Amino acid sequence: MTNRTLNPEPSAGAIATAQLRLVTLLQKRDLLVLAAIVVVMIGLALWGQVRMGPEEGGSGTIPIFRGLSVPLALLGLLWPLGVWRADSPERRGYFWSLPVDRRRHTSLRVGIGWVVLVGVSLLIMAAAAASFLPSVIRFEDLRMDVAQVWEPLATATLAYVIVSIFAVLFESPVRWMILAWVGVLGLYIVGEAADLDGLVEGVEDTVESLFVAIGGPVVADESVSDWGRQYLVWLPIAAAGLLSALLWRHEER
Amino acid sequence: MNIPTKLTGNGWALATSGLRKSYGKTVALRGIDLTVPEESVYVLVGPNGAGKTTALKILLDLARPDGGSAEALGMNPRRDGPRLRAQIGYIPEAQKWEHGWMPVSRLLAYHASYFPSWDGEYAARLSKRLELPLERPYGKLSKGQARRVQIVLALAHRPPLLVFDEPTDGLDPLARETTLSVLAEHIAEYATTVLISTHLVHETEKLADHMGVLRDGVLRAQATTDEIQRSLLRYRAEVPDGWDGRAVPDSGVLRRAARGREIEWMVWGSEGEVRSMLGEAGAQVREVTRLTLEEAAVALLSPEGGNHDQ
C-alpha cells in the first residue's frame, strides 16, 4: 500500500456529544410532554403555596417518592426501547459501520440513556413532590431523605439495566421485554426466597463506609425498605450482566 | 486457456485470502481470493445470493468469516475495525438504514460528527447536485432518494476506499446517470479505490477497470476489464453439414449457440489460438467480436463459465 494520510477517527467528545444529542432527540416528544407536566405541577404548587399556605401539622418530609418506584420502574423498563429506537436490531447495520469501537459505542449509548433516564426520573420526582408540597410543608422546612430518593432511582435503574442486557444481546424488542419480565420475576422470587440479609448487610456496610469516607450522608437503616437494601446487591449483579453482554456481543476483535 | 482467478502484481488496497463464510447450512463464500488494486474501480459481479454482500460485510467487520483472512488498506477489519471504518465510504445493500425519523440535513450532520474529515461544503455541493430533499425525514424518502442520501454519506468524508453494494439499485435512469457521473468525478478528483458489487454490470461499465465474477461463493474470474475484453471473444463460424461439434475442445469455451449452419462460441483465450482450434475442428470463422462487459459477465457466470477448481 502506498503511503497516504489516513482519515482520523472521531474524538471521544464528539461521539459522546453525538450520542447525547441523538438520545435526547429520540425522546424529544416524551421529554416535552414531561416538561409541560412538570411546569404545570410546579406552577400549581407555587400557586397553592401562595394562596393557601402549608397545612397545619405538616410532617416536613416529602411523602411520595417511594410511591413513584412502580411508575419509574415501568419507565425504566420501557426506556431502552426509546434509546435504541433508531437503530437496526443488534446494531449490525448503520451503528456498527461507524468508525468507533463497538463496545465503547454501545456502552456510551446505554450510559447516556441511563443519564437521561435519571434526569427524567428526578424531574418526575421533583414535579410530584412539588405538587404535594403546599399541603404538607413549608419550603424552608424541607428535608431531603436520601433513602427516599434512592429507592425509586434504583428501581428505575435496575429495570433499565435488565432490559438493556437483552437489548444488547438480541434483535427483537419483544424478546427484550419478555426476557426482562422473566428476569424481574426471577429476581423477585430469588429475593423473596433467599436469605440475602448477610450479603445485603455486607454491601450496605461497605457503601456506608464509602459514604462516610467521602463525607456523604449516612442513611438510617430503618428508612430503607428491604427491597431498597437489596438493590445494593442486585444493581452490581445486573451491571455485571450488562457488561458481560457488551463484552461478548459487541466484541470488536 | 484457463480463466484467471488471481491478479498479479502488488499494491493491493484490499485483499482476501481463502475467505470462507457459511450461514448455517448455506455456504456464502467458499474460500475466495479477492484482490483489489489501489486506486482501481473493481466491479464484483454475481447473481443474487452469490456471496457478494457477505464479502463486503466482512471488510467492514459486519460479518465474521469462518476461515481465511481479509485486509483493507493494510488493516485487518477485525483488529483495526474503527480505524479502518474511518477510511471507508460504505453504501449497504439496503436502501434505508436506521434513523428514518431524522430529516436528511440532520442525518448528514449526525454522520459528519463521526468523521472529522467530513467536508461540509462538498456535502452541500453533492446534496444540491443529487437534489436531496434536506428537510424531509430520511424514512419517508423514495428508494432512489434514500440511495442518493447514502451516496453523500459515503463520499463527503472523502474516504480512500469506497465499498458500494448495489449502489444504483432503486434509482431511475436519470438519477442513475447523475449518480454515476458524481462517482466518476469523485474518483477523478480524489485518490480512491472503489469496490462495487452489482448484478447490473452495464451501469458501471464506463467506470470499471477490474472485474471479479462470483457465483455460488466461488470467484470464477478476476482480471482487468481490458484483459477480459481482449481474451473473451465471440466467434461466429460456419460449419459443414453433419459437422461434429465435439471436435471443438471444451477448454475456454463458455457459451455455444447454433443458428442453422452457423455456430457462435464465446471462448476465453488468445484469438489466434482459438481461430486455429476452430479451424482444425472444421469450422470456418467468419467474424470475431468483442463482448461488452455485461455480456462477458453473463458468459463467465454461465454454468460452463469459469474455473471450478478453487
Side-chain angles (χ1 to χ4, degrees), chain B residues 105-165:
Chain B
S105 56
R106 181 166 282 159
L107 178 63
L108 293 176
Y110 174 70
H111 194 74
S113 56
Y114 281 89
F115 293 92
S117 55
W118 184 267
D119 182 343
E121 201 181 303
Y122 184 43
R125 215 163 65 225
L126 287 173
S127 302
K128 197 171 173 190
R129 178 91 187 275
L130 293 167
E131 297 175 21
L132 299 191
L134 294 173
E135 299 315 314
R136 286 190 67 193
Y138 177 52
K140 298 220 164 129
L141 302 183
S142 67
K143 277 182 180 178
Q145 287 172 320
R147 198 47 129 190
R148 281 179 275 157
V149 172
Q150 290 175 327
I151 286 164
V152 178
L153 294 176
L155 296 183
H157 58 106
R158 291 193 292 237
L161 177 61
L162 294 173
V163 177
F164 289 176
D165 199 351

Side-chain angles (χ1 to χ4, degrees), chain B residues 221-242:
Chain B
Q222 182 170 232
T224 65
T225 51
D226 280 348
E227 185 183 359
I228 290 171
Q229 292 192 302
R230 203 176 49 242
S231 304
L232 182 55
L233 299 168
R234 180 191 287 114
Y235 299 83
R236 256 214 333 262
E238 211 169 294
V239 293
D241 282 338

Side-chain angles (χ1 to χ4, degrees), chain A residues 101-153:
Chain A
D101 180 276
R102 288 163 185 158
R103 283 173 178 167
R104 195 153 57 96
H105 207 193
T106 312
S107 316
L108 196 62
R109 175 76 71 88
V110 173
I112 285 174
W114 175 74
V115 168
V116 179
L117 170 67
V118 168
V120 167
S121 302
L122 287 171
L123 270 177
I124 292 173
M125 288 158 76
S131 64
F132 279 81
L133 278 177
S135 61
V136 294
I137 190 174
R138 289 176 191 280
F139 281 141
E140 57 268 30
D141 295 336
L142 178 64
R143 283 202 312 272
M144 182 67 85
D145 186 336
V146 174
Q148 280 186 307
V149 182
W150 159 255
E151 279 186 33
L153 278 187

Side-chain angles (χ1 to χ4, degrees), chain A:
Chain A
M1 197 199 135
T2 54
N3 287 330
R4 61 157 291 161
T5 313
L6 293 176
N7 285 349
E9 292 168 58
S11 67
I15 303 163
T17 309
Q19 288 293 300
L20 181 62
R21 195 174 292 153
L22 180 73
V23 171
T24 45
L25 277 172
L26 280 167
Q27 317 274 19
K28 191 168 124 190
R29 198 181 302 160
D30 310 343
L31 292 174
L32 281 175
V33 171
L34 187 68
I37 294 170
V38 168
V39 168
V40 168
M41 288 175 110
I42 291 175
L44 282 173
L46 290 173
W47 180 75
Q49 184 86 317
V50 171
R51 288 289 302 268
M52 293 175 280
E55 200 175 71
E56 285 301 315
S59 67
T61 56
I62 303 167
I64 57 162
F65 280 170
R66 278 203 182 118
L68 282 173
S69 290
V70 173
L72 288 185
L74 284 174
L75 186 69
L77 279 174
L78 297 174
W79 202 249
L81 294 177
V83 170
W84 291 105
R85 191 185 294 160
D87 286 293
S88 70
E90 293 184 288
R91 272 70 68 194
R92 278 191 180 274
Y94 179 73
F95 189 74
W96 271 28
S97 75
L98 293 170
V100 188
D101 180 276
R102 288 163 185 158
R103 283 173 178 167
R104 195 153 57 96
H105 207 193
T106 312
S107 316
L108 196 62
R109 175 76 71 88
V110 173
I112 285 174
W114 175 74
V115 168
V116 179
L117 170 67
V118 168
V120 167
S121 302
L122 287 171
L123 270 177
I124 292 173
M125 288 158 76
S131 64
F132 279 81
L133 278 177
S135 61
V136 294
I137 190 174
R138 289 176 191 280
F139 281 141
E140 57 268 30
D141 295 336
L142 178 64
R143 283 202 312 272
M144 182 67 85
D145 186 336
V146 174
Q148 280 186 307
V149 182
W150 159 255
E151 279 186 33
L153 278 187
T155 312
T157 300
L158 185 62
Y160 175 76
V161 171
I162 289 172
V163 181
S164 293
I165 294 172
F166 301 113
V168 161
L169 286 176
F170 302 110
E171 57 182 283
S172 156
V174 176
R175 195 187 279 191
W176 308 349
M177 284 297 129
I178 292 171
L179 289 169
W181 281 105
V182 171
V184 169
L185 192 67
L187 284 185
Y188 179 78
I189 292 168
V190 173
E192 289 294 306
D195 181 13
L196 296 172
D197 285 350
L199 184 58
V200 170
E201 272 167 28
V203 177
E204 213 169 12
D205 290 344
T206 312
V207 171
E208 207 159 287
S209 47
L210 275 173
F211 264 60
V212 169
I214 59 169
V218 177
V219 181
D221 277 356
E222 62 274 14
S223 67
V224 185
S225 69
D226 284 349
W227 266 106
R229 295 167 67 215
Q230 284 191 7
Y231 287 147
L232 289 172
V233 174
W234 294 131
L235 277 173
I237 291 175
L242 178 60
L243 192 67
S244 311
L246 277 167
L247 291 176
W248 174 67
R249 186 70 187 78
H250 294 252
E251 181 198 25
E252 186 76 54
R253 58 183 71 93

Side-chain angles (χ1 to χ4, degrees), chain B residues 248-256 265-268 277 304-305:
Chain B
V248 177
D250 281 337
S251 169
V253 177
L254 301 180
R255 297 192 104 180
R256 198 186 319 243
W265 288 271
M266 289 184 193
V267 188
W268 184 283
M277 175 188 82
E304 301 84 20

Side-chain angles (χ1 to χ4, degrees), chain B residues 35-294:
Chain B
T35 39
V36 179
E38 274 186 54
E39 294 180 26
S40 66
V41 179
Y42 186 112
V43 178
L44 185 61
V45 190
N48 293 328
K52 307 186 297 291
T53 297
T54 300
L56 266 49
K57 280 185 167 178
I58 288 172
L59 295 172
L60 279 105
D61 196 28
L62 293 172
R64 300 261 160 94
D66 299 329
S69 63
E71 200 181 86
L73 304 173
M75 289 177 255
N76 180 318
R78 288 200 67 179
R79 204 181 51 234
D80 311 302
R83 196 156 66 96
L84 176 57
R85 291 194 293 274
Q87 319 308 321
I88 297 179
Y90 176 51
I91 295 187
E93 189 180 23
Q95 268 110 354
K96 285 181 190 170
W97 272 28
E98 298 77 13
H99 306 306
W101 56 278
M102 275 193 193
V104 172
S105 56
R106 181 166 282 159
L107 178 63
L108 293 176
Y110 174 70
H111 194 74
S113 56
Y114 281 89
F115 293 92
S117 55
W118 184 267
D119 182 343
E121 201 181 303
Y122 184 43
R125 215 163 65 225
L126 287 173
S127 302
K128 197 171 173 190
R129 178 91 187 275
L130 293 167
E131 297 175 21
L132 299 191
L134 294 173
E135 299 315 314
R136 286 190 67 193
Y138 177 52
K140 298 220 164 129
L141 302 183
S142 67
K143 277 182 180 178
Q145 287 172 320
R147 198 47 129 190
R148 281 179 275 157
V149 172
Q150 290 175 327
I151 286 164
V152 178
L153 294 176
L155 296 183
H157 58 106
R158 291 193 292 237
L161 177 61
L162 294 173
V163 177
F164 289 176
D165 199 351
E166 309 283 0
T168 53
D169 218 16
L171 295 179
D172 60 61
L174 186 63
R176 192 181 306 141
E177 193 60 36
T178 313
T179 303
L180 290 172
S181 64
V182 162
L183 185 58
E185 285 163 27
H186 182 91
I187 296 165
E189 201 172 339
Y190 307 109
T192 314
T193 305
V194 189
L195 172 60
I196 302 175
S197 133
T198 186
H199 55 265
L200 305 167
V201 193
H202 64 278
E203 291 177 357
T204 49
E205 194 151 354
K206 286 181 199 159
L207 294 173
D209 47 42
H210 287 75
M211 187 165 87
V213 178
L214 190 66
R215 183 177 165 149
D216 300 328
V218 176
L219 198 58
R220 296 174 145 227
Q222 182 170 232
T224 65
T225 51
D226 280 348
E227 185 183 359
I228 290 171
Q229 292 192 302
R230 203 176 49 242
S231 304
L232 182 55
L233 299 168
R234 180 191 287 114
Y235 299 83
R236 256 214 333 262
E238 211 169 294
V239 293
D241 282 338
W243 182 73
D244 184 6
R246 282 174 298 182
V248 177
D250 281 337
S251 169
V253 177
L254 301 180
R255 297 192 104 180
R256 198 186 319 243
R259 289 180 193 157
R261 283 178 55 189
E262 225 176 46
I263 297 189
E264 191 177 279
W265 288 271
M266 289 184 193
V267 188
W268 184 283
S270 83
E271 188 182 338
E273 283 177 27
V274 176
R275 272 178 180 274
S276 64
M277 175 188 82
L278 292 174
E280 281 167 21
Q284 266 194 322
V285 177
R286 297 281 184 216
E287 190 183 28
V288 181
T289 49
R290 276 166 74 104
L291 303 178
T292 63
L293 218 49
E294 170 102 357

